[in-house]
Each structure stands twice: as C-alpha cells, then as structure tokens.
Amino acid sequence: MGGDDEKKRKAGINAVTSMMMMLAMAHCASTSHVSMTQKAVQAICEPVKYKETCKESLSLANTTNPRDLIRIGFDAAKRHLAAALHTSTSLTKTETDPQTEKALKVCNQMLDMAIYDLQKSFDKMGQFELFRVDEYLDDIQTWLSGAVTYRVTCLDAFENNTSSARRKMEKTLKAAAEINTNALSMVNKIKNLVKSFDGLGKSRPRPLFARNHGYPVWVDHGRRKLLATNSTEGPVVADAVVDKDQSGNFTTLTAALAAVPVRPDNKTYVIHVKEGVYEEKVTIPYNLTHLTVIGDGPDKTIFTGRLNFVDGTLTVDTATFSALGSNFMAMNMGFKNTAGAVKEQAVALHVGGDMSIIYNCSIQAYQDTLYAHAHRQFYRDCNISGTIDFIFGNAAAVFQNCLLLIRKPLHGQDNMITAHGRTEPGANTGLVIQNCTISGEPEYLGVKDVSRTYLGRPWKPYARTLIVDSQIDDVIDRSGWATWPGADYDKTCWFAEFRNRGPGKAGRLRANWPGIRKVDAVQVADFLPENFIYADHWIEQSGVPFSPGNKTT
C-alpha cells in the first residue's frame, strides 16, 4: 500500500473512531440529568429495532465506550441462550413424546453452537484493531449471523409440533433473538460507516496467512505436498489414513476423528480416506477445526447413508456427513443419501463450519441434498444433484464451476434448486451460483415439461440468491423462480440473475415480484468471492483454484 493510501486509511480510521464516540452521545445531548453511561446506552440503542430490550441488556453497563457496550450486548445474548439451553436440556430429560424429544435434542446442539458463535464475536470485539476493522467486522457479522441461524434451526425442529415444550422454547429464546437482531444492526452500521471511507474497504492480509515458501504458515508441510499433488496421481502425505480394507490406521473415518489430537497452534490435520464405499454417519463437531479430509476421487471414496424424514429423523439429523468445525476442507470425495425421493428430506452433506471448502466432490440425493447451513463456504468443481430445495440453508456460500443436475422427482412434484433461509435483513448470508452449469439428468429430461424446475424459492423472509455467468440449459421454467407456499416472502427476498447464457436464462416471461432484482456489474461484485466471503483471506491460501471476481477460470 502506498504512502498516500496509508494516510487516507489512517484518516478514515480516525474519522470512524470519532464518529463511533459521537454516536454514543449525539442523541442524548439535552438530557444532562442522565449519567454519561446512560446517555451512551440510550444513544447506541436508538437506531436498533428492539430498543427496550437493548437498554435492558445494557442496564448494568458502566462505560461509555461503544465497543465495550456492544460486547456487553453480545454477552447478554450469550447468557440468554445459555438459559434457553438449560431449559432445553431440562425438558429433554422429562419429555415423553418422541418427536418433541428429538426436537429438543436438536435445540441442545444448535444452542450450544450459537453460544460458541457469540463467544467468538465477544472475543473478537475485544481484540478490535481499527486498521483491520473491515476484516474484524466481517468475522463478527458472520458469527452473529451463525448464532441467528442456529437459534432458528432449534425452533424449526418443532415444525408442526404444538407441544408445550415448543412454546417454552419460543418464550425463552425471545430476548436472545431480539438482542441478536440488535447486535447485527449495530455491527452493520459500523460496517457501512467504514465502507463510506475510501481506503478502508479491505484490510491487509491476516498475519495468520503469512507466507512460507508460497504457502500460508498454518499450512503444514504435509498439507502443502497434499495440495501440490493430485492425489489420484501419487501417494498422499497425511496425518492419518482410513481404509476399510485395513491397510491404514483406521477402518472408519469416525474412528480417525476420535483420534485427532489437540493442536493449540491450529495446525491443519490431514486425513486420507482411501477408495471404498463407507456406510457410516460422520459428524465433525464444531470444536474440531482445521481439518482436511481427502479421498481418492468423487466416484471412488464415497460416504453413503439413507436416514430420512419419512422414517422419523428430523432433517438436520438425516445428513450422511456433517462438517461443523471451522476451516474444514473436503477434496476428491463423494457424499450420498440413497433414501430416494419417496422418503422426502434426506441430506447427503451438511456443512456448518466457517471458512469451509468443498473441492472436486460429488453430492447426490433427492430432496435437501446439500444443507449449506451457516457461515462462509466455498464449493469448487463439484457435482450436486437433487430435486426439491437441493441446495438449502442460511450460509454465505459461493458455488464456482459446479455442475448442478436436476433429478426426476415424484409424480406431481416440481423441483427447486435453491432454498435460502435468511431470516434477518442484517445477516451477511446468501447463495451465489457463479460460472456453473445447470442441467438435468437424462431421466428428468423426459418429464421436464410435466415436473417443472425453478432456480429457487425463498425458504425464509430475506432469502438471497444470485445466479451469475452460468450456463442454464433448457430445464428451467420460464418464470425462473417459485414462491414459498402460504408466505409473502416474494416481497422481501432478494433474487437476481446476471450475464447468464443458454436457453434457460432470464427472458421476458421471468417472474417480476418485488423480490426479483435487476442488478448491474457493480452490485454483482459485492456477491463474488473476494467481497462476499473475503476469499483472499482463506481460499487463496488453501491451494484450491478460485476466481475472486468476475473472471472465472
């Protein structure tokens, strides 16, 4: 960065600092009888949606520092979620209805992860460095959005359930929900303020990613060799080897995961899974981070299962493979759920870890194939196939150079490729399909005029999906998008198409609800990897090929 840019950046930082402090007093200048702390609390709560909840959450504050007040708000949300987790755990022990018990168990897991996200937000705000303000705010916004997502997933587990347990959980989570919404609003205001200063748009690369022989310092020697070599062309250097034929250290990935050592330095741990079909349900917990799992090819190393909703498993628990820890990477692997269309929701791959990369993988099922649940995710050179909502969730996920294949649904059903689940307008989430090919399996092509396919539908009120620079074959209904039954999300969602090609691209018969947006190249740039998921901070250093902006390779 040149000297002039650095001066401009410092000037912008000083301005942001001053404006943050002014924010804490500006709205209360005339109320001299109120203490300075109370003035600051009133000021910081003024622009948020739930003002009284905000003031109550900061009622014990003894500071005028906006950063500290926001941290106190994070901590209050965490305490409310902890109380909800305690309620959920207690109800689980006494619940006699099987479906309600399953829902409560989902809540136990989701609220635990939401608390984890809020704790990270609290810690990050405490480390706040203004010369890296944009990076810090993006992390915090991501984790706050994750906390929202997990809380909503808890309540979604009670869908069509009228038990008293559901009502208790809704009541217990109300304050946490309002504080979380307020926190997102505060962070977004600061983020927009930062954007208004030229030169503050992007911070310098993180020290975490300092280079060593062309690789970031956290990529150990084994992973460097792994990423530099196509595993199908030579031996893989790994920390552990899984082989069902017993030539490795373990015969199941679950056993290998249980043996992963604690790594205080977050050194990447690499597991090589040799060719084979592995019939096991795999869960990588949220506290198992910096893990790379590599197979021998998407049609050679395959994880398969058949758990499904019709047979009594809640959707989030149907996944054959769940990766919830941050900095996860899967490479050269296949994930399947073979329950079939008749079994309705049946997830093949569930990804929730922040900064997750899925590279050269095959993901196959029917309804709800891929659960892109939360946080920042990147999919490159993957084949993903399904029927209804086969890419769904509330992640900030970019799919680049992927093949999206539509499968034949049950008679009388229509297909939706995406179903995004954004519930908060301040959440930095969305689905971006970039330079992909959207086509159909041969079996579907014969029924495409009867069973129509749409690019997506809004699962939640503020769903966001962008299809850009992609090949769309003659498999998409001319209206392009579908609504969610019984909801008016078509007014609040954000759906857009830009610069696509092929017979299925947008034409004059495309849907024109308020949520269908006309966008230009400048607006689209905000949703491409460099800006939307801060790709230059983590994807670039992984060794996985990617295009940060408009040009795709």
Side-chain angles (χ1 to χ4, degrees), residues 212-213 215-217 219-229:
N212 184 355
H213 301 294
Y215 291 89
V217 294
V219 177
D220 55 272
H221 179 68
R223 185 170 180 182
R224 290 175 202 166
K225 290 188 69 174
L226 184 70
L227 295 177
T229 306

Side-chain angles (χ1 to χ4, degrees), residues 295-312:
D296 287 337
D299 58 347
K300 293 181 178 180
T301 298
I302 299 169
F303 285 85
T304 185
R306 53 181 300 106
L307 291 175
N308 61 85
F309 183 78
V310 168
D311 288 342

Side-chain angles (χ1 to χ4, degrees), residues 210-280:
R211 293 283 178 151
N212 184 355
H213 301 294
Y215 291 89
V217 294
W218 58 267
V219 177
D220 55 272
H221 179 68
R223 185 170 180 182
R224 290 175 202 166
K225 290 188 69 174
L226 184 70
L227 295 177
T229 306
N230 185 328
S231 67
T232 61
E233 298 175 357
V236 174
V237 177
D239 297 294
V241 176
V242 175
D243 187 350
K244 61 182 305 180
D245 294 331
Q246 300 184 337
S247 69
N249 309 104
F250 306 94
T251 57
T252 67
L253 180 55
T254 299
L257 293 172
V260 175
V262 175
R263 293 149 291 137
D265 59 351
N266 286 331
K267 179 183 177 183
T268 300
Y269 191 87
V270 179
I271 300 175
H272 174 208
V273 184
K274 289 191 174 183
E275 181 176 354
V277 177
Y278 295 82
E279 297 182 17
E280 61 174 306

Side-chain angles (χ1 to χ4, degrees), residues 45 113 184 196 224 318 401 403 405 410 421 462 504 529 534 538 547:
C45 291
M113 291 192 292
L184 271 171
S196 70
R224 290 175 202 166
T318 64
N401 292 29
L403 173 61
L405 277 177
L410 296 177
Y462 299 98
Y534 271 50
W538 55 287
S547 298

Side-chain angles (χ1 to χ4, degrees), residues 432-449:
V432 179
I433 312 296
Q434 183 190 15
N435 201 44
C436 293
T437 295
I438 297 173
S439 192
E441 290 186 346
E443 191 177 17
Y444 171 69
L445 296 179
V447 299
K448 70 182 180 67
D449 294 329

Side-chain angles (χ1 to χ4, degrees), residues 147-417:
V148 168
T149 302
Y150 292 138
R151 173 180 51 76
V152 171
T153 303
C154 161
L155 295 178
D156 281 349
F158 288 95
E159 187 176 7
N160 300 322
N161 185 314
T162 58
S163 68
S164 61
R166 173 179 180 160
R167 293 191 294 275
K168 287 178 182 177
M169 291 307 301
E170 288 174 336
K171 182 178 179 181
T172 306
L173 286 168
K174 182 176 182 294
E178 293 180 355
I179 297 171
N180 211 154
T181 296
N182 288 343
L184 271 171
S185 177
M186 292 175 190
V187 170
N188 284 335
K189 279 194 170 294
I190 300 171
K191 195 171 183 179
N192 291 334
L193 189 61
V194 169
K195 282 184 178 180
S196 70
F197 291 94
D198 187 24
L200 282 173
K202 284 285 180 184
S203 62
R204 289 173 253 182
R206 305 181 187 189
L208 172 66
F209 295 132
R211 293 283 178 151
N212 184 355
H213 301 294
Y215 291 89
V217 294
W218 58 267
V219 177
D220 55 272
H221 179 68
R223 185 170 180 182
R224 290 175 202 166
K225 290 188 69 174
L226 184 70
L227 295 177
T229 306
N230 185 328
S231 67
T232 61
E233 298 175 357
V236 174
V237 177
D239 297 294
V241 176
V242 175
D243 187 350
K244 61 182 305 180
D245 294 331
Q246 300 184 337
S247 69
N249 309 104
F250 306 94
T251 57
T252 67
L253 180 55
T254 299
L257 293 172
V260 175
V262 175
R263 293 149 291 137
D265 59 351
N266 286 331
K267 179 183 177 183
T268 300
Y269 191 87
V270 179
I271 300 175
H272 174 208
V273 184
K274 289 191 174 183
E275 181 176 354
V277 177
Y278 295 82
E279 297 182 17
E280 61 174 306
K281 179 175 173 59
V282 175
T283 298
I284 299 171
Y286 72 85
N287 55 358
L288 183 52
T289 66
H290 297 83
L291 183 72
T292 291
V293 182
I294 182 167
D296 287 337
D299 58 347
K300 293 181 178 180
T301 298
I302 299 169
F303 285 85
T304 185
R306 53 181 300 106
L307 291 175
N308 61 85
F309 183 78
V310 168
D311 288 342
T313 303
L314 295 180
T315 301
V316 68
D317 288 330
T318 64
T320 299
F321 196 109
S322 294
L324 306 178
S326 66
N327 298 90
F328 170 75
M329 178 173 166
M331 178 177 175
N332 300 339
M333 297 175 66
F335 306 96
K336 291 183 178 181
N337 190 311
T338 60
V342 71
K343 296 296 186 177
E344 299 180 5
Q345 296 97 321
V347 177
L349 177 62
H350 170 204
V351 181
D354 192 22
M355 295 187 286
S356 289
I357 297 173
I358 312 298
Y359 175 47
N360 190 35
C361 290
S362 173
I363 310 166
Q364 299 177 27
Y366 286 84
Q367 184 172 348
D368 291 0
T369 300
L370 171 62
Y371 193 177
H373 195 174
H375 303 124
R376 292 163 290 198
Q377 304 180 13
F378 181 68
Y379 298 78
R380 172 77 184 208
D381 299 340
C382 292
N383 290 354
I384 307 169
S385 60
T387 54
I388 300 170
D389 305 334
F390 69 87
I391 299 174
F392 76 109
N394 192 29
V398 176
F399 298 80
Q400 201 172 82
N401 292 29
C402 293
L403 173 61
L404 309 184
L405 277 177
I406 302 152
R407 306 184 83 172
K408 181 181 177 181
L410 296 177
H411 179 71
Q413 287 184 337
D414 290 334
N415 293 326
M416 272 64 62
I417 295 173

